[in-house]
């Protein structure tokens, strides 16, 4: 159970970047609106991945092989889809470059996980993106990995 909890915590930390939304006006959303939209979706994403972990592993501690398989077959494809959705978000007009930097850092982390799924066991390849998100002002997105 302890091993399963640690695995779930790492996945939760990694998933804090799920975000989707749209602007509220022709000038794009305000920073507060943008943060609220993204944080809401991050929270929903965290809950969804936790449900998948619970469904697949329950109270049983997964083996390293099961974790690697889960990351490869479930986590990475789902997370990549979320990153692709992030690229579609309209950021506040003054923060477009900052948002692009966060999304690029996130993609770099996802690419590292794709290349070596075992990285979720040894640390978070998403820490750079998490720090950038927290520095920007997100309250949920990036919080668990920061």
């Amino acid at each position: 159970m302890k091993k399963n909890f640690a695995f779930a915590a790492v996945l939760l930390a990694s998933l804090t970047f799920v975000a989707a939304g749209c602007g509220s006006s022709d000038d794009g959303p305000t920073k507060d609106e943008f943060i609220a939209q993204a944080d809401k979706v991050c929270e929903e994403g965290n809950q969804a991945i936790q449900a998948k972990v619970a469904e697949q592993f329950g109270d049983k501690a997964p083996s390293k092989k099961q974790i690697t398989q889960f990351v490869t077959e479930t986590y990475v494809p789902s997370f990549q889809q979320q990153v692709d959705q992030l690229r579609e978000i309209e950021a506040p007009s003054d923060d477009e470059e900052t948002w692009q930097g966060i999304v690029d850092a996130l993609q770099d982390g996802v690419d590292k996980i794709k290349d070596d799924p075992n990285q979720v066991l040894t640390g978070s390849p998403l820490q750079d993106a998490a720090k950038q998100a927290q520095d920007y002002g997100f309250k949920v997105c990036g919080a668990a990995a920061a």
Side-chain angles (χ1 to χ4, degrees):
M1 177 69 173
K2 190 174 188 179
K3 189 176 185 181
N4 187 28
F5 177 76
F7 169 65
V10 170
L11 285 179
L12 176 62
S14 296
L15 273 173
T16 57
F17 285 93
V18 181
C22 58
S24 61
S25 70
D26 290 342
D27 294 329
T30 66
K31 185 173 181 176
D32 288 343
E33 291 169 339
F34 181 65
I35 288 171
Q37 290 171 353
D39 278 345
K40 180 181 179 199
V41 178
C42 287
E43 186 173 345
E44 291 170 358
N46 294 345
Q47 292 170 354
I49 197 66
Q50 286 299 326
K52 289 179 182 181
V53 169
E55 177 183 316
Q56 186 157 349
F57 302 113
D59 289 337
K60 298 174 186 161
S63 68
K64 185 176 178 181
K65 181 179 177 181
Q66 289 172 315
I67 292 170
T68 300
Q69 183 177 1
F70 179 85
V71 169
T72 301
E73 294 177 2
T74 304
Y75 176 73
V76 168
S78 173
F79 204 69
Q80 183 60 59
Q81 181 180 16
Q82 295 163 2
V83 172
D84 294 343
Q85 292 172 350
L86 284 173
R87 295 211 182 275
E88 301 298 320
I89 293 177
E90 179 184 5
S93 57
D94 292 342
D95 296 333
E96 289 173 2
E97 188 174 320
T98 300
W99 180 237
Q100 187 62 46
I102 293 169
V103 175
D104 288 348
L106 180 58
Q107 183 66 63
D108 289 345
V110 172
D111 290 343
K112 288 177 184 176
I113 296 169
K114 284 179 188 176
D115 291 343
D116 181 7
N118 291 315
Q119 286 193 37
V120 299
L121 299 172
T122 60
S124 177
L126 303 172
Q127 286 182 333
D128 182 46
K131 181 177 180 344
Q132 290 181 45
Q134 289 293 287
D135 289 349
Y136 179 80
F138 288 105
K139 295 167 184 59
V140 177
C141 298

